[in-house]
Amino acid sequence: MKKPNKLALLLGTAALSLTACSEGPSLLCLETSDSNQYNEGMCYQISRGDSIDSLYLINLSFTEEGSDMETYDITWNTKLKPAYFTLSASLKGKTVTTVSRYNSRIMKVNIKGTCEDPTATYGYVKVRSDAFTAVSKRAKGVYYIFGYVSIGNEQGLATKPADIPNE
């Protein structure tokens, strides 16, 4: 191989490895619902068919270890774009169309399209750090946060599994 080709290949490989690491850590900290109210043990179920789904991403309060005060992992930023919100591969065919901030801890997301995988049973709404500000210690340095959704024939609330699978 000629020297310029080797150099180009080496630089291309180095650049690719840097982009693979640039996403950083993530945190599954969002609950999903069909309203701005959290329903314990439930999650939003996205319709498999051609539909428009409206779901809420809810950041619940919790007590950090070593503290008596309740806190939140994140607060939603005021300037938001649908591009900050993506869907996991199991939801291929669906796209985020609009997002709106309900308040500093609740976000409404509208999704449209048809799920291409007829056997998919769950997925994730993935939110880039441009959409939020980290508040808790565990959210500091996180590049993505996730919300778990069920996939089924009907849209609405569904029972959330006890053990959420990793993406």
Side-chain angles (χ1 to χ4, degrees), residues 37-69:
Q37 300 297 311
Y38 170 65
N39 294 290
E40 190 170 348
M42 305 297 280
C43 67
Y44 187 81
Q45 179 170 284
I46 290 180
S47 171
R48 191 180 311 285
D50 188 14
S51 64
I52 297 175
D53 290 271
S54 293
L55 65 98
Y56 290 81
L57 297 174
I58 302 171
N59 179 40
L60 297 178
S61 66
F62 69 99
T63 304
E64 278 194 298
E65 191 175 315
S67 173
D68 295 338
M69 295 177 46

Side-chain angles (χ1 to χ4, degrees), residues 51-135:
S51 64
I52 297 175
D53 290 271
S54 293
L55 65 98
Y56 290 81
L57 297 174
I58 302 171
N59 179 40
L60 297 178
S61 66
F62 69 99
T63 304
E64 278 194 298
E65 191 175 315
S67 173
D68 295 338
M69 295 177 46
E70 284 193 344
T71 189
Y72 294 91
D73 282 312
I74 59 110
T75 58
W76 295 110
N77 293 338
T78 54
K79 294 187 179 184
L80 299 164
K81 298 177 184 177
Y84 300 161
F85 299 75
T86 57
L87 305 172
S88 63
S90 58
L91 289 162
K92 185 177 180 185
K94 300 270 190 184
T95 57
V96 174
T97 57
T98 59
V99 295
S100 56
R101 184 179 186 261
Y102 184 79
N103 61 32
S104 64
R105 57 184 187 83
I106 300 173
M107 175 69 55
K108 184 177 181 182
V109 179
N110 292 314
I111 298 169
K112 74 173 185 176
T114 303
C115 186
E116 292 179 11
D117 183 350
T119 62
T121 58
Y122 70 92
Y124 296 92
V125 178
K126 184 176 174 180
V127 184
R128 205 168 70 199
S129 61
D130 298 322
F132 62 88
T133 301
V135 176

